[in-house]
């Protein structure tokens, strides 16, 4: 299984259920594992793969202009964004909301989605 990954991407978005969480954007850490097209390893051409710089830029731009109540909804949004906008065959999205609970280093969600046949 060939993949492109972006791990530890820092993003800012408005997220949370509680009023105190929604007073300002929060920093999240996003990990993306993206299934590469098979042709990506056959030619030395950026057009034959998923451009990870564009993925990163798109994710940051989209999240800066949106708000979510749940990490689960945010993860689904990112998964569909990568599948639809970048033609990935599959994607794994992991989102960490650091320091949100006392004595817990990381809280988050992880989902995997595949392109519909």
């Amino acid at each position: 299984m060939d993949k492109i990954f972006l791990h530890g991407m820092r993003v800012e978005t408005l997220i949370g259920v509680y009023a105190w969480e929604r007073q300002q954007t929060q920093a999240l850490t996003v990990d993306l594992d993206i299934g590469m097209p098979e042709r990506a390893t056959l030619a030395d051409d950026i057009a034959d793969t998923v451009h990870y710089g564009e993925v990163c830029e798109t994710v940051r731009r989209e999240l800066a202009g949106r708000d979510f109540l749940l990490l689960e909804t945010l993860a689904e949004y990112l998964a569909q964004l990568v599948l639809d906008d970048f033609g990935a065959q599959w994607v794994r999205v992991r989102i960490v909301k650091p320091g949100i609970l006392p004595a817990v280093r990381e809280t988050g969600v992880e989902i995997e989605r595949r392109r519909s046949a």
Side-chain angles (χ1 to χ4, degrees):
M1 172 172 27
D2 297 342
K3 65 181 176 183
I4 292 170
F5 63 89
L6 293 103
H7 290 175
M9 181 181 7
R10 302 266 306 168
V11 299
E12 292 274 338
T13 197
L14 189 61
I15 186 146
V17 174
Y18 302 107
W20 61 266
E21 290 182 288
R22 303 187 63 75
Q23 292 178 359
Q24 62 185 19
T25 62
Q26 294 183 55
L28 304 174
T29 304
V30 174
D31 293 342
L32 298 175
D33 291 326
I34 304 167
M36 291 189 311
E38 289 182 22
R39 67 186 183 279
T41 60
L42 302 176
D44 201 16
D45 189 340
I46 192 72
D48 289 332
T49 191
V50 175
H51 191 308
Y52 52 80
E54 290 180 4
V55 172
C56 186
E57 180 180 311
T58 300
V59 165
R60 286 190 172 127
R61 182 182 63 247
E62 288 292 317
L63 295 188
R66 297 192 179 273
D67 68 278
F68 300 88
L69 295 175
L70 302 175
L71 288 175
E72 293 85 342
T73 308
L74 171 55
E76 185 67 34
Y77 177 80
L78 290 180
Q80 293 308 313
L81 178 74
V82 171
L83 292 172
D84 294 344
D85 289 9
F86 295 95
Q89 296 303 303
W90 60 269
V91 63
R92 183 186 65 84
V93 178
R94 180 176 187 265
I95 304 173
V96 173
K97 195 173 185 181
I100 198 68
L101 294 175
V104 177
R105 188 182 75 230
E106 294 180 339
T107 302
V109 300
E110 183 174 323
I111 66 170
E112 291 186 30
R113 298 291 182 263
R114 295 197 173 280
R115 177 172 295 291
S116 300

